[in-house]
Amino acid sequence: MLKHPDIDEIFITHEQIVTKCEELGAIISSEYRNRIPVLIGLLKGCVPFMAELIKHITSHVEIDFMDVSSYLGGTQTTGKVHVLKDLSIDIRGKDVLIVDDIIDTGLTLQEVCVLLKDRGAKSIEIITLIDKPEGRKVTTVVPRYVGYYIPKKFVVGFGLDYNELYRNLPYIGILKESVYK
Ligand code: IMP
Ligand code: MG
């Protein structure tokens, strides 16, 4: 695969991501076989991952999207996450599976979980393509399904951005220092 000139190294190839989505899709199909989960994608980073993942889920799913502001400037659980785009589905009594691109501190997701619980979700689980466990600042955010665990590195591609760019790369890569220095 052709490497973008701003990318230093391809960290996870497109083929690896697709294979991972096949595996995760099979597990979700099995674990939710008697339920119809609502997959809630957190915009905008979730888009490529969600699109690939749902192709490999063989049981029924509903999908919806939400955009929330990332950083609230505090570390407390307030449940007052700033919702930029809200769901169109009523999730009361539903099994929710939040789809995220990457979890670092976990602060955003903690807030989202509080919000969705308040709205009456029956169950809430998290799936993320990438987890950076070293960055975690909360203990409550434990994704049930993880594509890859990575160390504290800044990565872009397959939904992940740097200043809104590189989301369209079909792989996950590491930016050249010259791009942000
Ligand atoms: P947190 O878990 O609340 O710290 O927020 C995670 C969010 O920070 C992700 O949804 C991304 O928008 C952003 N983020 C964290 N690490 C990276 C990275 O390595 N590349 C691109 N975005 C990142
Ligand atoms: Mg995000």
Side-chain angles (χ1 to χ4, degrees), residues 116-181:
L116 299 182
K117 208 169 185 180
D118 280 351
R119 291 186 182 181
K122 186 171 150 203
S123 69
I124 301 172
E125 300 291 352
I126 298 164
I127 178 165
T128 186
L129 179 58
I130 309 273
D131 191 357
K132 298 202 271 195
E134 286 169 48
R136 205 72 94 254
K137 289 188 179 160
V138 294
T139 52
T140 50
V141 174
V142 183
R144 184 173 177 96
Y145 313 100
V146 176
Y148 298 92
Y149 292 97
I150 69 165
K152 253 181 173 275
K153 270 183 199 275
F154 192 82
V155 288
V156 295
F158 216 79
L160 295 159
D161 73 303
Y162 171 67
N163 285 344
E164 295 295 332
L165 298 179
Y166 309 106
R167 293 191 198 274
N168 54 319
L169 296 181
Y171 49 81
I172 289 175
I174 299 176
L175 267 184
K176 284 186 180 157
E177 262 189 31
S178 55
V179 177
Y180 53 85
K181 283 237 164 106

Side-chain angles (χ1 to χ4, degrees), residues 71 101-108 132 153-155 160-161:
Y71 292 108
D101 50 356
I102 191 163
I103 309 177
D104 185 20
T105 64
L107 290 169
T108 318
K132 298 202 271 195
K153 270 183 199 275
F154 192 82
V155 288
L160 295 159
D161 73 303

Side-chain angles (χ1 to χ4, degrees), residues 15-30 52-53 56-57 127 145-148:
E15 291 70 23
Q16 287 173 316
I17 296 171
V18 172
T19 304
K20 186 60 79 177
C21 288
E22 281 171 18
E23 290 167 18
L24 292 168
I27 295 168
I28 290 166
S29 307
S30 158
E52 188 58 48
L53 178 70
H56 306 288
I57 300 178
I127 178 165
Y145 313 100
V146 176
Y148 298 92

Side-chain angles (χ1 to χ4, degrees), residues 42-45 70 100-102:
L42 298 185
L43 296 169
K44 304 168 213 170
S70 279
D100 209 352
D101 50 356
I102 191 163

